[in-house]
Amino acid sequence: MPRHFDPALINDPFGDPGLYVDLVFARRALLFDLGDLSPLAPRKILRVSDAFVTHRHMDHFAGFDQLLRQLIGREKTIRIYGPAGLIGAVEHKLNAYSWNLIQGYEGHLIFRAAEIDKVGSVTSAEFSSRARFERFDAGTNQSDDGLLLQEPGLQIRSAFLDHGEPVLGFAIEERAHVNVWRNKIEAMGLSIGPWLRAFKEATLRGARDDSLIEVAWHDPSPGRAAHLPLGYLKKEIMKITGGRKIAYAVDCSFTDSNIEKIVRLAKDADILFIEATFLDSDAELAKARHHLTARQAGTIGRLAGAKRLVTLHHSPRYKGKGQALIDEAQAAFTGG
Ligand SMILES: [Zn+2]
């Protein structure tokens, strides 16, 4: 179960956008966008279990070939998610090569592609090396609130943004766990026992702080309370682990609808990775190209209440002036 994310941009902010999220304890990784993947060592690419594609402009999808090149011949299933049209795109990419000798390869490589449309229908298809990457449709189901992946410790949600064409933004959330400090429990004279489960359940369901939890004492001498208030126990023995959130939003314009959707997706995120393509002095150009300015990116981060803002996808016109983009975004982010 992943308890720890380690997110890192794949390229420098002037390079293709892309985020590599190592799920350290799960010994796997997630990829956001398939632009230029060449900075990723092969062992890092082999760790990728799921890739999320915002849209199919080349700087976000051309790296599919690099992924394929590294994985071919491997025993591996990789899931790829993206907006409507993704399955056809994966099919065309795979169809570009001839696979007459692929059946002699030992490793069985499977791509599972899933595309989501604007009403939340998720359609899936599978491409297996054993079938020369022929397409097998795997049905359609309905996603709840853009949810693309849900596992016991992790969930990934998406939202449609407008970039002149539909683009997905993503949020990666780790489930929080309520744990307890055993040493503190013992120091208080309480014993470790089944009552702790009731305590954790009450905490997770948001019970009132004055609700009483039945406790067990190490030495149940008379006069010791059989119940203690939840709020007191939370203060003394509770330890919350995990619950981190990361959001990734690129290629969209500064419209009310986009702002609202990114703010919702990135609400209280620990880190918001967001494009800062133009300087605000070129806001007209940003609007025409359906991109954000650095100032707009910072404003969105502040509205979302994100704890940290990392900007990417700088336009090459500002080469050598990257710090100006970063400074502009951070000033708007901190409200300066
Ligand atoms: Zn782009």
Side-chain angles (χ1 to χ4, degrees):
M1 182 180 310
R3 276 164 194 252
H4 189 63
F5 297 152
D6 188 8
L9 291 180
I10 297 166
N11 295 292
D12 83 61
F14 285 99
D16 286 355
L19 183 69
Y20 184 90
V21 181
D22 202 335
L23 304 177
V24 181
F25 296 109
R27 317 185 96 225
R28 58 188 261 230
L30 312 173
L31 260 185
F32 292 84
D33 270 335
L34 296 175
D36 181 9
L37 303 181
S38 51
L40 291 178
R43 66 176 170 80
K44 285 198 148 186
I45 290 186
L46 290 175
R47 246 169 116 88
V48 174
S49 58
D50 301 81
F52 298 82
V53 177
T54 56
H55 64 303
R56 290 181 292 111
H57 281 155
M58 273 195 89
D59 52 336
H60 302 256
F61 194 57
F64 178 88
D65 281 15
Q66 289 170 302
L67 194 67
L68 175 61
R69 188 74 190 88
Q70 287 295 337
L71 297 180
I72 202 73
R74 301 281 180 166
E75 185 73 29
K76 173 113 184 146
T77 297
I78 183 160
R79 294 175 294 235
I80 301 187
Y81 307 80
L86 180 85
I87 293 174
V90 168
E91 183 178 16
H92 281 88
K93 283 272 191 195
L94 291 165
N95 272 341
Y97 303 100
S98 50
W99 301 108
N100 61 313
L101 302 178
I102 186 76
Q103 270 139 332
Y105 284 43
E106 223 164 84
H108 183 195
L109 175 63
I110 298 170
F111 287 97
R112 286 213 176 106
E115 59 180 44
I116 185 165
D117 68 13
K118 285 193 167 170
V119 293
S121 293
V122 179
T123 302
S124 304
E126 194 169 291
F127 304 87
S128 154
S129 62
R130 296 245 163 99
R132 296 185 188 190
F133 295 116
E134 197 185 314
R135 169 176 173 165
F136 285 93
D137 289 317
T140 297
N141 52 42
Q142 189 62 28
S143 143
D144 180 22
D145 196 20
L147 196 68
L148 287 177
L149 187 146
Q150 184 153 39
E151 297 177 3
L154 178 78
Q155 70 170 31
I156 295 174
R157 281 191 306 117
S158 63
F160 270 102
L161 308 174
D162 179 31
H163 176 50
E165 70 158 39
V167 165
L168 291 177
F170 299 106
I172 312 140
E173 287 170 87
E174 178 191 31
R175 184 165 294 177
H177 297 273
V178 175
N179 286 313
V180 291
W181 298 100
R182 295 174 73 97
N183 53 346
K184 289 194 186 166
I185 294 169
E186 274 157 11
M188 286 165 74
L190 291 163
S191 64
I192 308 287
W195 71 273
L196 286 167
R197 188 172 312 144
F199 162 72
K200 287 182 189 175
E201 277 167 12
T203 303
L204 286 171
R205 74 164 188 269
R208 288 166 52 119
D209 278 355
D210 59 4
S211 29
L212 292 174
I213 303 292
E214 187 173 0
V215 297
W217 295 96
H218 216 54
D219 165 23
S221 21
R224 290 197 135 159
H227 297 81
L228 289 173
L230 178 66
Y232 169 74
L233 288 169
K234 273 159 73 173
K235 194 154 68 65
E236 295 298 325
I237 65 168
M238 182 172 69
K239 175 170 72 166
I240 298 270
T241 55
R244 285 228 299 160
K245 177 175 176 178
I246 299 169
Y248 178 83
V250 291
D251 293 56
C252 56
S253 40
F254 196 61
T255 61
D256 288 348
S257 160
N258 281 344
I259 296 165
E260 190 192 309
K261 286 175 179 171
I262 302 172
V263 165
R264 189 163 172 257
L265 202 60
K267 194 85 209 132
D268 301 325
D270 293 278
I271 312 176
L272 168 60
F273 292 90
I274 188 166
E275 70 161 20
T277 309
F278 292 94
L279 282 172
D280 211 54
S281 49
D282 293 320
E284 279 306 309
L285 201 54
K287 192 175 171 189
R289 305 257 174 96
H290 304 281
H291 277 292
L292 295 175
T293 69
R295 183 163 160 225
Q296 292 164 349
T299 303
I300 293 174
R302 178 162 46 81
L303 292 172
K307 295 184 187 73
R308 221 183 117 202
L309 185 88
V310 177
T311 47
L312 67 150
H313 213 348
H314 297 169
S315 160
R317 65 173 47 226
Y318 306 111
K319 272 245 162 94
K321 289 188 278 181
Q323 196 58 43
L325 288 153
I326 294 171
D327 291 347
E328 184 178 290
Q330 295 299 332
F333 178 55
T334 53

